[in-house]
């Protein structure tokens, strides 16, 4: 470990012992991250060579309808980068973010992806919307530039290219594991007459297919299917048809205010059936848009904003202190934070300073030290064949209670005390 890093770490460790509990957790997380980085830095090379910034692309919807989870993603990335730069960055080179706002527009996202390639960033973190990401994957793949996706869950993202060739990585639960996870839960509860409400975007289409496949694996067919475009304001007719079909649960797959349209429509009809779905049911568009109609909704989560252990308590405290508010979508912030550290750990596995796309790809696929993250403990998160870091054992069922997301099951809250590893 370098003297500079020791100087940074020791005061934090000494002060942690005397600090209040919440601050102690924050200091523990900072010290852990610093120690982890320190053990990876080559002592001789850390002090020599280029001091030019390592440029990292960031792309996502930071304004517009999807900004409610795009901004927390960006904030999680920035928080990690600030911590990394505080201990010297990569071999003495600071990390510099090149941020592009795709505004959830596929054509704009593709054009901005080309800009990132032209601006020669070393790698890119980003995408929240599956439809936007799908239009841009080819740009990164052809440029042999690693892309790590912290938010978008569309199954197709990491399936488009054969594993050994693919430069597309993800630190998020793909829909192909979210859908069966939720299907298993609703069938255990006896909700077997499923109505699916899915939008017609790439996200909705992929999620719809994953839900149908997960139901089919259990020999269940949906009793009603409703497809709708983004922006729909009234789904009364479709909800009435689902009720008449005997549905006892609604599985919604959409990323925007349309989830709230479903909930409010049910309430207006006086139809008290549960609403379940993927992680967008934890977004402000749903929680604020549906208010009391959102109560009891269930969704899949990798991260629930409760201080269940020191790592998570520290992350939440640090985020609130840095941005003067809680993350609007905690899962987006936490997954992005972890994705940034995983990229940094890959960089630190490249000891000659030559951050080519191929070198970064190979480091991500197997040359990294274990990273003790917020969402999970990442021990070999990727491989030549597997580009998804999150597995089903890392998932939880969240429930809307009093306008916030908490654990649906006490046993999940207890399980969350132990940070999971990939299975």
């Amino acid at each position: 470990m370098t003297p500079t890093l020791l100087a940074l770490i020791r005061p934090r460790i000494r002060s942690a012992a005397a600090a209040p509990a919440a601050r102690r957790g924050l200091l523990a997380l900072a010290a852990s991250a610093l120690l982890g980085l320190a053990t990876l830095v080559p002592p001789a090379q850390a002090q020599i060579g280029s001091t030019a910034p390592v440029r990292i692309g960031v792309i996502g919807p930071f304004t517009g309808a999807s900004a409610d989870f795009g901004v927390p993603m960006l904030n999680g990335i920035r928080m990690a980068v600030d911590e990394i730069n505080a201990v010297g960055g990569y071999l003495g080179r600071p990390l510099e973010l090149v941020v592009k706002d795709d505004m959830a527009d596929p054509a704009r996202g593709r054009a901005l992806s080309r800009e990132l390639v032209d601006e020669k960033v070393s790698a890119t973190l980003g995408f929240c919307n599956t439809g936007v990401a799908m239009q841009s994957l080819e740009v990164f793949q052809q440029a042999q530039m690693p892309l790590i996706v912290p938010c978008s869950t569309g199954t197709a993202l990491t399936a488009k290219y054969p594993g050994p060739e693919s430069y597309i990585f993800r630190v998020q639960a793909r829909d192909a594991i979210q859908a069966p996870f939720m299907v298993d839960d609703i069938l255990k509860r006896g909700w077997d007459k499923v109505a699916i409400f899915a939008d017609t975007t790439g996200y909705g289409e992929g999620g719809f297919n994953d839900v149908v496949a997960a139901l089919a694996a259990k020999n269940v067919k949906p009793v009603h299917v409703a497809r709708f475009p983004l922006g729909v304001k009234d789904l009364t007719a479709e909800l009435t048809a689902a009720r008449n079909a005997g549905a006892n649960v609604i599985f919604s797959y959409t990323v925007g205010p349309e989830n709230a349209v479903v909930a409010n429509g049910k309430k207006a009809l006086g139809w008290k059936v549960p609403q379940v779905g993927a992680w967008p049911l934890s977004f402000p568009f749903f929680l604020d848009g549906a208010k009391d109609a959102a109560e009891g909704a269930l969704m899949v989560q990798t991260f629930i904003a409760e201080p269940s252990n020191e790592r998570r308590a520290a992350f939440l405290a640090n985020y609130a202190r840095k941005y003067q508010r809680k993350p609007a979508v905690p899962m987006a912030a936490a997954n992005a934070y972890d994705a940034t550290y995983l990229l940094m750990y890959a960089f630190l596995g490249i000891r000659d300073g030559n951050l080519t796309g191929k070198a970064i790809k190979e480091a991500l696929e197997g040359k990294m030290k274990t990273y003790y993250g917020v969402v999970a403990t990442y021990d070999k998160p990727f491989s030549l064949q597997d580009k998804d870091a999150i597995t089903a054992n890392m998932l939880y069922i969240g429930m809307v209670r009093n306008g916030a997301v908490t654990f649906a099951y006490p046993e999940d809250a207890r399980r969350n005390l132990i940070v999971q590893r990939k299975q």
Side-chain angles (χ1 to χ4, degrees):
M1 189 184 306
T2 66
T4 301
L5 284 166
L6 279 170
L8 283 164
I9 293 167
R10 281 173 175 158
R12 287 165 169 77
I13 296 173
R14 289 194 194 104
S15 62
R23 182 163 171 76
R24 219 168 32 238
L26 178 61
L27 290 165
L29 180 65
S32 174
L34 291 168
L35 284 164
L37 289 173
T39 60
L40 292 171
V41 176
Q45 291 177 333
Q47 306 300 323
I48 62 175
S50 173
T51 59
V54 176
R55 307 182 82 218
I56 299 171
V58 180
I59 186 167
F62 308 128
T63 59
S66 293
D68 59 343
F69 63 125
V71 170
M73 179 190 81
L74 177 59
N75 287 346
I77 292 168
R78 282 178 166 158
M79 193 164 86
V81 165
D82 286 348
E83 292 172 2
I84 291 165
N85 283 340
V87 293
Y90 170 67
L91 306 185
R93 299 170 62 188
L95 306 187
E96 177 183 281
L97 297 179
V98 181
V99 180
K100 305 288 184 180
D101 181 5
D102 64 34
M103 300 175 67
D105 179 277
R108 179 179 172 85
R110 186 177 177 90
L112 294 175
S113 297
R114 288 198 185 100
E115 286 185 13
L116 289 171
V117 170
D118 291 343
E119 293 177 34
K120 301 189 184 305
V121 298
S122 295
T124 293
L125 298 155
F127 292 112
C128 290
N129 306 89
T130 295
V132 180
M134 287 300 294
Q135 290 294 314
S136 300
L137 296 186
E138 182 184 18
V139 175
F140 296 98
Q141 184 69 18
Q142 289 185 350
Q144 296 188 334
M145 175 185 290
L147 168 69
I148 303 181
V149 180
C151 279
S152 181
T153 61
T155 300
L157 295 186
T158 47
K160 183 170 182 178
Y161 303 105
E165 301 170 15
S166 181
Y167 280 76
I168 314 303
F169 299 80
R170 175 162 42 195
V171 185
Q172 179 57 279
R174 66 192 185 279
D175 291 324
I177 63 172
Q178 287 200 50
F181 192 78
M182 181 55 76
V183 164
D184 284 347
D185 185 71
I186 62 176
L187 294 181
K188 286 176 186 175
R189 293 169 181 263
W191 303 337
D192 58 352
K193 294 178 174 59
V194 185
I196 304 175
F197 279 62
D199 68 41
T200 52
T201 66
Y203 172 74
E205 181 66 21
F208 168 75
N209 291 332
D210 286 328
V211 174
V212 170
L215 289 170
K218 302 292 185 178
N219 297 313
V220 177
K221 291 183 178 180
V223 299
H224 181 77
V225 170
R227 303 301 303 276
F228 49 85
L230 291 185
V232 67
K233 302 297 183 185
D234 187 352
L235 289 167
T236 302
E238 291 287 8
L239 288 164
T240 301
R243 182 174 63 180
N244 293 342
N248 59 9
V249 63
I250 292 177
F251 202 130
S252 58
Y253 238 100
T254 184
V255 76
E258 296 75 22
N259 274 321
V261 173
V262 173
N264 290 327
K266 287 196 301 103
K267 179 182 177 182
L269 289 172
W271 187 27
K272 296 182 179 179
V273 293
Q275 183 173 351
V276 306
W279 73 304
L281 288 178
S282 67
F283 290 11
F285 266 136
F286 179 64
L287 300 177
D288 298 339
K291 299 190 185 303
D292 63 319
E295 285 293 301
L298 302 172
M299 80 294 297
V300 180
Q301 297 278 273
T302 61
F303 178 81
I304 292 176
E306 294 188 9
S308 53
N309 59 46
E310 276 199 330
R311 289 192 217 171
R312 289 166 184 149
F315 170 78
L316 291 168
N318 199 12
Y319 188 103
R321 184 179 65 174
K322 186 176 184 67
Y323 299 111
Q324 300 301 304
R325 62 184 180 276
K326 297 177 181 178
V329 181
M331 189 168 149
N335 282 71
Y337 178 88
D338 279 0
T340 308
Y341 266 104
L342 286 174
L343 178 60
M344 182 60 188
Y345 272 48
F347 286 171
L348 291 171
I350 304 168
R351 301 200 167 204
D352 62 1
N354 190 17
L355 297 179
T356 65
K358 184 174 184 294
I360 297 168
K361 175 182 183 295
E362 290 176 351
L364 286 166
E365 290 168 346
K367 295 181 179 179
M368 290 190 299
K369 182 181 173 70
T370 298
Y371 166 54
Y372 298 92
V374 174
V375 173
T377 294
Y378 301 91
D379 183 18
K380 298 181 180 177
F382 308 112
S383 70
L384 198 63
Q385 297 289 346
D386 184 4
K387 299 300 189 287
D388 282 287
I390 303 297
T391 47
N393 65 298
M394 301 173 188
L395 303 182
Y396 304 92
I397 300 293
M399 172 183 280
V400 179
R401 188 177 297 145
N402 298 321
V405 176
T406 187
F407 291 98
Y409 299 110
E411 55 266 33
D412 272 357
R414 290 192 293 271
R415 181 166 65 92
N416 194 50
L417 295 171
I418 307 300
V419 182
Q420 301 296 310
R421 291 174 183 253
K422 187 172 183 176
Q423 291 183 352

